[in-house]
PDB file of all heavy atoms in Angstrom:
ATOM      1  N   ASP B  56      13.380 -10.939   2.100  1.00  0.00           N
ATOM      2  CA  ASP B  56      12.486 -11.301   3.145  1.00  0.00           C
ATOM      3  C   ASP B  56      11.223 -11.968   2.536  1.00  0.00           C
ATOM      4  O   ASP B  56      10.354 -11.228   1.966  1.00  0.00           O
ATOM      5  CB  ASP B  56      12.055 -10.028   3.976  1.00  0.00           C
ATOM      6  CG  ASP B  56      11.130 -10.295   5.151  1.00  0.00           C
ATOM      7  OD1 ASP B  56      10.554 -11.370   5.146  1.00  0.00           O
ATOM      8  OD2 ASP B  56      10.947  -9.444   5.929  1.00  0.00           O
ATOM      9  N   LYS B  57      11.118 -13.209   2.629  1.00  0.00           N
ATOM     10  CA  LYS B  57      10.037 -13.937   1.979  1.00  0.00           C
ATOM     11  C   LYS B  57       8.863 -14.271   3.001  1.00  0.00           C
ATOM     12  O   LYS B  57       7.996 -15.111   2.702  1.00  0.00           O
ATOM     13  CB  LYS B  57      10.519 -15.252   1.452  1.00  0.00           C
ATOM     14  CG  LYS B  57      11.735 -15.118   0.483  1.00  0.00           C
ATOM     15  CD  LYS B  57      12.153 -16.488   0.007  1.00  0.00           C
ATOM     16  CE  LYS B  57      13.315 -16.351  -0.960  1.00  0.00           C
ATOM     17  NZ  LYS B  57      13.811 -17.706  -1.448  1.00  0.00           N
ATOM     18  N   SER B  58       8.932 -13.660   4.172  1.00  0.00           N
ATOM     19  CA  SER B  58       8.060 -14.137   5.263  1.00  0.00           C
ATOM     20  C   SER B  58       6.564 -13.938   4.924  1.00  0.00           C
ATOM     21  O   SER B  58       5.665 -14.555   5.568  1.00  0.00           O
ATOM     22  CB  SER B  58       8.386 -13.350   6.500  1.00  0.00           C
ATOM     23  OG  SER B  58       8.188 -11.952   6.270  1.00  0.00           O
ATOM     24  N   GLY B  59       6.255 -13.138   3.972  1.00  0.00           N
ATOM     25  CA  GLY B  59       4.800 -12.932   3.598  1.00  0.00           C
ATOM     26  C   GLY B  59       4.269 -13.829   2.519  1.00  0.00           C
ATOM     27  O   GLY B  59       3.058 -13.772   2.285  1.00  0.00           O
ATOM     28  N   LEU B  60       5.099 -14.570   1.881  1.00  0.00           N
ATOM     29  CA  LEU B  60       4.582 -15.489   0.808  1.00  0.00           C
ATOM     30  C   LEU B  60       3.601 -16.514   1.361  1.00  0.00           C
ATOM     31  O   LEU B  60       3.903 -17.246   2.356  1.00  0.00           O
ATOM     32  CB  LEU B  60       5.728 -16.188   0.144  1.00  0.00           C
ATOM     33  CG  LEU B  60       6.741 -15.276  -0.641  1.00  0.00           C
ATOM     34  CD1 LEU B  60       7.877 -16.102  -1.194  1.00  0.00           C
ATOM     35  CD2 LEU B  60       5.974 -14.481  -1.667  1.00  0.00           C
ATOM     36  N   PRO B  61       2.359 -16.625   0.780  1.00  0.00           N
ATOM     37  CA  PRO B  61       1.378 -17.472   1.374  1.00  0.00           C
ATOM     38  C   PRO B  61       1.590 -18.982   1.219  1.00  0.00           C
ATOM     39  O   PRO B  61       1.018 -19.711   2.007  1.00  0.00           O
ATOM     40  CB  PRO B  61       0.120 -17.063   0.657  1.00  0.00           C
ATOM     41  CG  PRO B  61       0.586 -16.461  -0.646  1.00  0.00           C
ATOM     42  CD  PRO B  61       1.921 -15.906  -0.374  1.00  0.00           C
ATOM     43  N   SER B  62       2.369 -19.379   0.275  1.00  0.00           N
ATOM     44  CA  SER B  62       2.582 -20.794   0.091  1.00  0.00           C
ATOM     45  C   SER B  62       3.833 -20.976  -0.790  1.00  0.00           C
ATOM     46  O   SER B  62       4.386 -20.046  -1.323  1.00  0.00           O
ATOM     47  CB  SER B  62       1.385 -21.492  -0.567  1.00  0.00           C
ATOM     48  OG  SER B  62       1.418 -21.192  -1.976  1.00  0.00           O
ATOM     49  N   ASP B  63       4.314 -22.261  -0.874  1.00  0.00           N
ATOM     50  CA  ASP B  63       5.513 -22.468  -1.645  1.00  0.00           C
ATOM     51  C   ASP B  63       5.250 -22.387  -3.155  1.00  0.00           C
ATOM     52  O   ASP B  63       6.152 -22.588  -3.975  1.00  0.00           O
ATOM     53  CB  ASP B  63       6.136 -23.786  -1.299  1.00  0.00           C
ATOM     54  CG  ASP B  63       5.239 -24.948  -1.454  1.00  0.00           C
ATOM     55  OD1 ASP B  63       4.122 -24.747  -2.091  1.00  0.00           O
ATOM     56  OD2 ASP B  63       5.542 -26.129  -1.029  1.00  0.00           O
ATOM     57  N   ARG B  64       4.066 -22.144  -3.535  1.00  0.00           N
ATOM     58  CA  ARG B  64       3.706 -21.887  -4.983  1.00  0.00           C
ATOM     59  C   ARG B  64       4.185 -20.527  -5.434  1.00  0.00           C
ATOM     60  O   ARG B  64       4.223 -20.297  -6.575  1.00  0.00           O
ATOM     61  CB  ARG B  64       2.219 -22.111  -5.240  1.00  0.00           C
ATOM     62  CG  ARG B  64       1.697 -23.478  -4.996  1.00  0.00           C
ATOM     63  CD  ARG B  64       0.226 -23.624  -5.456  1.00  0.00           C
ATOM     64  NE  ARG B  64      -0.639 -22.811  -4.594  1.00  0.00           N
ATOM     65  CZ  ARG B  64      -1.190 -21.634  -5.093  1.00  0.00           C
ATOM     66  NH1 ARG B  64      -0.966 -21.212  -6.312  1.00  0.00           N
ATOM     67  NH2 ARG B  64      -2.048 -20.956  -4.313  1.00  0.00           N
ATOM     68  N   PHE B  65       4.408 -19.669  -4.407  1.00  0.00           N
ATOM     69  CA  PHE B  65       4.767 -18.315  -4.711  1.00  0.00           C
ATOM     70  C   PHE B  65       6.356 -18.135  -4.569  1.00  0.00           C
ATOM     71  O   PHE B  65       6.906 -18.614  -3.612  1.00  0.00           O
ATOM     72  CB  PHE B  65       4.141 -17.336  -3.785  1.00  0.00           C
ATOM     73  CG  PHE B  65       2.700 -17.139  -3.992  1.00  0.00           C
ATOM     74  CD1 PHE B  65       1.799 -18.124  -3.690  1.00  0.00           C
ATOM     75  CD2 PHE B  65       2.202 -15.955  -4.549  1.00  0.00           C
ATOM     76  CE1 PHE B  65       0.412 -17.979  -3.884  1.00  0.00           C
ATOM     77  CE2 PHE B  65       0.822 -15.762  -4.695  1.00  0.00           C
ATOM     78  CZ  PHE B  65      -0.082 -16.786  -4.378  1.00  0.00           C
ATOM     79  N   SER B  66       6.968 -17.500  -5.558  1.00  0.00           N
ATOM     80  CA  SER B  66       8.364 -17.206  -5.480  1.00  0.00           C
ATOM     81  C   SER B  66       8.606 -15.926  -6.217  1.00  0.00           C
ATOM     82  O   SER B  66       7.782 -15.397  -7.016  1.00  0.00           O
ATOM     83  CB  SER B  66       9.205 -18.329  -6.062  1.00  0.00           C
ATOM     84  OG  SER B  66       8.881 -18.478  -7.417  1.00  0.00           O
ATOM     85  N   ALA B  67       9.730 -15.315  -5.879  1.00  0.00           N
ATOM     86  CA  ALA B  67      10.083 -14.027  -6.549  1.00  0.00           C
ATOM     87  C   ALA B  67      11.588 -13.982  -6.661  1.00  0.00           C
ATOM     88  O   ALA B  67      12.316 -14.521  -5.817  1.00  0.00           O
ATOM     89  CB  ALA B  67       9.544 -12.841  -5.853  1.00  0.00           C
ATOM     90  N   GLU B  68      12.049 -13.303  -7.677  1.00  0.00           N
ATOM     91  CA  GLU B  68      13.495 -12.985  -7.855  1.00  0.00           C
ATOM     92  C   GLU B  68      13.633 -11.599  -8.328  1.00  0.00           C
ATOM     93  O   GLU B  68      12.724 -10.951  -8.868  1.00  0.00           O
ATOM     94  CB  GLU B  68      14.154 -13.951  -8.807  1.00  0.00           C
ATOM     95  CG  GLU B  68      13.619 -13.908 -10.212  1.00  0.00           C
ATOM     96  CD  GLU B  68      14.373 -14.920 -11.128  1.00  0.00           C
ATOM     97  OE1 GLU B  68      15.017 -15.856 -10.589  1.00  0.00           O
ATOM     98  OE2 GLU B  68      14.330 -14.715 -12.346  1.00  0.00           O
ATOM     99  N   ARG B  69      14.796 -11.126  -8.107  1.00  0.00           N
ATOM    100  CA  ARG B  69      15.207  -9.727  -8.503  1.00  0.00           C
ATOM    101  C   ARG B  69      16.570  -9.834  -9.198  1.00  0.00           C
ATOM    102  O   ARG B  69      17.555 -10.149  -8.515  1.00  0.00           O
ATOM    103  CB  ARG B  69      15.155  -8.755  -7.376  1.00  0.00           C
ATOM    104  CG  ARG B  69      15.349  -7.285  -7.846  1.00  0.00           C
ATOM    105  CD  ARG B  69      15.371  -6.404  -6.591  1.00  0.00           C
ATOM    106  NE  ARG B  69      15.377  -4.976  -7.097  1.00  0.00           N
ATOM    107  CZ  ARG B  69      15.503  -3.900  -6.324  1.00  0.00           C
ATOM    108  NH1 ARG B  69      15.700  -4.113  -5.027  1.00  0.00           N
ATOM    109  NH2 ARG B  69      15.506  -2.732  -6.823  1.00  0.00           N
ATOM    110  N   THR B  70      16.606  -9.533 -10.375  1.00  0.00           N
ATOM    111  CA  THR B  70      17.830  -9.681 -11.168  1.00  0.00           C
ATOM    112  C   THR B  70      18.555  -8.330 -11.196  1.00  0.00           C
ATOM    113  O   THR B  70      17.952  -7.266 -11.561  1.00  0.00           O
ATOM    114  CB  THR B  70      17.528 -10.174 -12.590  1.00  0.00           C
ATOM    115  OG1 THR B  70      16.616  -9.336 -13.231  1.00  0.00           O
ATOM    116  CG2 THR B  70      17.002 -11.565 -12.551  1.00  0.00           C
ATOM    117  N   GLY B  71      19.856  -8.414 -10.942  1.00  0.00           N
ATOM    118  CA  GLY B  71      20.682  -7.191 -11.073  1.00  0.00           C
ATOM    119  C   GLY B  71      20.258  -6.056 -10.237  1.00  0.00           C
ATOM    120  O   GLY B  71      20.628  -4.885 -10.431  1.00  0.00           O
ATOM    121  N   GLY B  72      19.579  -6.408  -9.156  1.00  0.00           N
ATOM    122  CA  GLY B  72      19.131  -5.300  -8.255  1.00  0.00           C
ATOM    123  C   GLY B  72      18.125  -4.362  -8.831  1.00  0.00           C
ATOM    124  O   GLY B  72      17.871  -3.262  -8.299  1.00  0.00           O
ATOM    125  N   SER B  73      17.467  -4.877  -9.909  1.00  0.00           N
ATOM    126  CA  SER B  73      16.503  -3.918 -10.540  1.00  0.00           C
ATOM    127  C   SER B  73      15.125  -4.662 -10.767  1.00  0.00           C
ATOM    128  O   SER B  73      14.360  -4.751  -9.833  1.00  0.00           O
ATOM    129  CB  SER B  73      17.014  -3.412 -11.844  1.00  0.00           C
ATOM    130  OG  SER B  73      16.086  -2.563 -12.483  1.00  0.00           O
ATOM    131  N   VAL B  74      14.944  -5.219 -11.887  1.00  0.00           N
ATOM    132  CA  VAL B  74      13.684  -5.835 -12.323  1.00  0.00           C
ATOM    133  C   VAL B  74      13.349  -7.060 -11.376  1.00  0.00           C
ATOM    134  O   VAL B  74      14.270  -7.787 -11.060  1.00  0.00           O
ATOM    135  CB  VAL B  74      13.647  -6.200 -13.792  1.00  0.00           C
ATOM    136  CG1 VAL B  74      12.414  -7.013 -14.086  1.00  0.00           C
ATOM    137  CG2 VAL B  74      13.731  -4.956 -14.618  1.00  0.00           C
ATOM    138  N   SER B  75      12.094  -7.177 -10.997  1.00  0.00           N
ATOM    139  CA  SER B  75      11.728  -8.338 -10.219  1.00  0.00           C
ATOM    140  C   SER B  75      10.565  -9.048 -10.903  1.00  0.00           C
ATOM    141  O   SER B  75       9.706  -8.469 -11.603  1.00  0.00           O
ATOM    142  CB  SER B  75      11.221  -7.877  -8.846  1.00  0.00           C
ATOM    143  OG  SER B  75      10.757  -8.927  -8.069  1.00  0.00           O
ATOM    144  N   THR B  76      10.518 -10.388 -10.754  1.00  0.00           N
ATOM    145  CA  THR B  76       9.520 -11.194 -11.275  1.00  0.00           C
ATOM    146  C   THR B  76       8.860 -12.027 -10.118  1.00  0.00           C
ATOM    147  O   THR B  76       9.581 -12.695  -9.355  1.00  0.00           O
ATOM    148  CB  THR B  76      10.045 -12.198 -12.311  1.00  0.00           C
ATOM    149  OG1 THR B  76      10.621 -11.485 -13.393  1.00  0.00           O
ATOM    150  CG2 THR B  76       8.888 -13.059 -12.884  1.00  0.00           C
ATOM    151  N   LEU B  77       7.549 -11.907 -10.024  1.00  0.00           N
ATOM    152  CA  LEU B  77       6.821 -12.723  -9.038  1.00  0.00           C
ATOM    153  C   LEU B  77       6.223 -13.899  -9.821  1.00  0.00           C
ATOM    154  O   LEU B  77       5.457 -13.693 -10.836  1.00  0.00           O
ATOM    155  CB  LEU B  77       5.721 -11.894  -8.386  1.00  0.00           C
ATOM    156  CG  LEU B  77       4.799 -12.684  -7.378  1.00  0.00           C
ATOM    157  CD1 LEU B  77       5.571 -13.039  -6.168  1.00  0.00           C
ATOM    158  CD2 LEU B  77       3.637 -11.729  -7.021  1.00  0.00           C
ATOM    159  N   THR B  78       6.460 -15.097  -9.400  1.00  0.00           N
ATOM    160  CA  THR B  78       5.950 -16.301 -10.042  1.00  0.00           C
ATOM    161  C   THR B  78       4.971 -17.023  -9.148  1.00  0.00           C
ATOM    162  O   THR B  78       5.265 -17.219  -8.000  1.00  0.00           O
ATOM    163  CB  THR B  78       7.142 -17.223 -10.497  1.00  0.00           C
ATOM    164  OG1 THR B  78       8.025 -16.561 -11.299  1.00  0.00           O
ATOM    165  CG2 THR B  78       6.571 -18.482 -11.175  1.00  0.00           C
ATOM    166  N   ILE B  79       3.859 -17.344  -9.710  1.00  0.00           N
ATOM    167  CA  ILE B  79       2.903 -18.191  -9.008  1.00  0.00           C
ATOM    168  C   ILE B  79       2.726 -19.445  -9.807  1.00  0.00           C
ATOM    169  O   ILE B  79       2.280 -19.380 -10.955  1.00  0.00           O
ATOM    170  CB  ILE B  79       1.486 -17.472  -8.906  1.00  0.00           C
ATOM    171  CG1 ILE B  79       1.723 -16.060  -8.278  1.00  0.00           C
ATOM    172  CG2 ILE B  79       0.595 -18.251  -7.979  1.00  0.00           C
ATOM    173  CD1 ILE B  79       0.425 -15.204  -8.280  1.00  0.00           C
ATOM    174  N   GLN B  80       3.015 -20.545  -9.138  1.00  0.00           N
ATOM    175  CA  GLN B  80       2.897 -21.874  -9.820  1.00  0.00           C
ATOM    176  C   GLN B  80       1.589 -22.505  -9.528  1.00  0.00           C
ATOM    177  O   GLN B  80       0.999 -22.313  -8.401  1.00  0.00           O
ATOM    178  CB  GLN B  80       4.016 -22.797  -9.417  1.00  0.00           C
ATOM    179  CG  GLN B  80       5.401 -22.298  -9.813  1.00  0.00           C
ATOM    180  CD  GLN B  80       6.482 -23.216  -9.266  1.00  0.00           C
ATOM    181  OE1 GLN B  80       6.590 -23.506  -8.090  1.00  0.00           O
ATOM    182  NE2 GLN B  80       7.426 -23.582 -10.178  1.00  0.00           N
ATOM    183  N   ARG B  81       1.026 -23.302 -10.427  1.00  0.00           N
ATOM    184  CA  ARG B  81      -0.192 -24.040 -10.255  1.00  0.00           C
ATOM    185  C   ARG B  81      -1.242 -23.148  -9.585  1.00  0.00           C
ATOM    186  O   ARG B  81      -1.774 -23.391  -8.522  1.00  0.00           O
ATOM    187  CB  ARG B  81       0.118 -25.257  -9.303  1.00  0.00           C
ATOM    188  CG  ARG B  81       1.204 -26.149  -9.880  1.00  0.00           C
ATOM    189  CD  ARG B  81       1.417 -27.354  -8.940  1.00  0.00           C
ATOM    190  NE  ARG B  81       1.790 -27.021  -7.592  1.00  0.00           N
ATOM    191  CZ  ARG B  81       2.977 -26.567  -7.179  1.00  0.00           C
ATOM    192  NH1 ARG B  81       3.968 -26.429  -8.042  1.00  0.00           N
ATOM    193  NH2 ARG B  81       3.169 -26.293  -5.898  1.00  0.00           N
ATOM    194  N   THR B  82      -1.616 -22.135 -10.306  1.00  0.00           N
ATOM    195  CA  THR B  82      -2.499 -21.091  -9.758  1.00  0.00           C
ATOM    196  C   THR B  82      -3.832 -21.704  -9.271  1.00  0.00           C
ATOM    197  O   THR B  82      -4.375 -22.636  -9.907  1.00  0.00           O
ATOM    198  CB  THR B  82      -2.784 -19.967 -10.745  1.00  0.00           C
ATOM    199  OG1 THR B  82      -3.232 -20.573 -11.993  1.00  0.00           O
ATOM    200  CG2 THR B  82      -1.530 -19.143 -10.995  1.00  0.00           C
ATOM    201  N   GLN B  83      -4.347 -21.087  -8.273  1.00  0.00           N
ATOM    202  CA  GLN B  83      -5.640 -21.405  -7.678  1.00  0.00           C
ATOM    203  C   GLN B  83      -6.531 -20.275  -7.783  1.00  0.00           C
ATOM    204  O   GLN B  83      -6.093 -19.063  -7.863  1.00  0.00           O
ATOM    205  CB  GLN B  83      -5.463 -21.863  -6.218  1.00  0.00           C
ATOM    206  CG  GLN B  83      -4.503 -23.054  -6.041  1.00  0.00           C
ATOM    207  CD  GLN B  83      -4.956 -24.310  -6.644  1.00  0.00           C
ATOM    208  OE1 GLN B  83      -6.141 -24.694  -6.452  1.00  0.00           O
ATOM    209  NE2 GLN B  83      -4.130 -24.961  -7.416  1.00  0.00           N
ATOM    210  N   GLN B  84      -7.828 -20.451  -7.610  1.00  0.00           N
ATOM    211  CA  GLN B  84      -8.830 -19.422  -7.696  1.00  0.00           C
ATOM    212  C   GLN B  84      -8.594 -18.345  -6.624  1.00  0.00           C
ATOM    213  O   GLN B  84      -8.777 -17.140  -6.848  1.00  0.00           O
ATOM    214  CB  GLN B  84     -10.255 -19.901  -7.723  1.00  0.00           C
ATOM    215  CG  GLN B  84     -10.631 -20.651  -9.002  1.00  0.00           C
ATOM    216  CD  GLN B  84     -12.055 -21.147  -9.011  1.00  0.00           C
ATOM    217  OE1 GLN B  84     -12.631 -21.317  -7.960  1.00  0.00           O
ATOM    218  NE2 GLN B  84     -12.639 -21.252 -10.202  1.00  0.00           N
ATOM    219  N   GLU B  85      -8.161 -18.778  -5.485  1.00  0.00           N
ATOM    220  CA  GLU B  85      -7.956 -17.852  -4.425  1.00  0.00           C
ATOM    221  C   GLU B  85      -6.719 -16.917  -4.609  1.00  0.00           C
ATOM    222  O   GLU B  85      -6.468 -16.004  -3.852  1.00  0.00           O
ATOM    223  CB  GLU B  85      -7.782 -18.578  -3.048  1.00  0.00           C
ATOM    224  CG  GLU B  85      -6.626 -19.523  -2.986  1.00  0.00           C
ATOM    225  CD  GLU B  85      -7.021 -20.962  -3.217  1.00  0.00           C
ATOM    226  OE1 GLU B  85      -8.024 -21.152  -3.974  1.00  0.00           O
ATOM    227  OE2 GLU B  85      -6.379 -21.851  -2.736  1.00  0.00           O
ATOM    228  N   ASP B  86      -5.948 -17.255  -5.702  1.00  0.00           N
ATOM    229  CA  ASP B  86      -4.843 -16.369  -6.006  1.00  0.00           C
ATOM    230  C   ASP B  86      -5.287 -15.125  -6.710  1.00  0.00           C
ATOM    231  O   ASP B  86      -4.551 -14.174  -6.949  1.00  0.00           O
ATOM    232  CB  ASP B  86      -3.824 -17.083  -6.886  1.00  0.00           C
ATOM    233  CG  ASP B  86      -3.185 -18.296  -6.172  1.00  0.00           C
ATOM    234  OD1 ASP B  86      -3.207 -18.296  -4.964  1.00  0.00           O
ATOM    235  OD2 ASP B  86      -2.750 -19.266  -6.902  1.00  0.00           O
ATOM    236  N   SER B  87      -6.533 -15.082  -7.166  1.00  0.00           N
ATOM    237  CA  SER B  87      -7.069 -13.956  -7.890  1.00  0.00           C
ATOM    238  C   SER B  87      -7.000 -12.744  -6.995  1.00  0.00           C
ATOM    239  O   SER B  87      -7.514 -12.723  -5.897  1.00  0.00           O
ATOM    240  CB  SER B  87      -8.533 -14.268  -8.301  1.00  0.00           C
ATOM    241  OG  SER B  87      -8.631 -15.286  -9.206  1.00  0.00           O
ATOM    242  N   ALA B  88      -6.342 -11.707  -7.559  1.00  0.00           N
ATOM    243  CA  ALA B  88      -6.134 -10.522  -6.720  1.00  0.00           C
ATOM    244  C   ALA B  88      -5.364  -9.508  -7.603  1.00  0.00           C
ATOM    245  O   ALA B  88      -4.978  -9.840  -8.744  1.00  0.00           O
ATOM    246  CB  ALA B  88      -5.286 -10.751  -5.484  1.00  0.00           C
TER     247      ALA B  88
END
Side-chain angles (χ1 to χ4, degrees):
Chain B
D56 179 347
K57 305 179 182 180
S58 59
L60 295 178
S62 78
D63 58 8
R64 297 187 294 105
F65 288 72
S66 62
E68 63 177 20
R69 188 179 186 190
T70 54
S73 180
V74 172
S75 177
T76 301
L77 176 68
T78 301
I79 309 173
Q80 296 178 311
R81 305 181 302 283
T82 52
Q83 303 295 312
Q84 288 183 334
E85 60 263 28
D86 299 335
S87 297

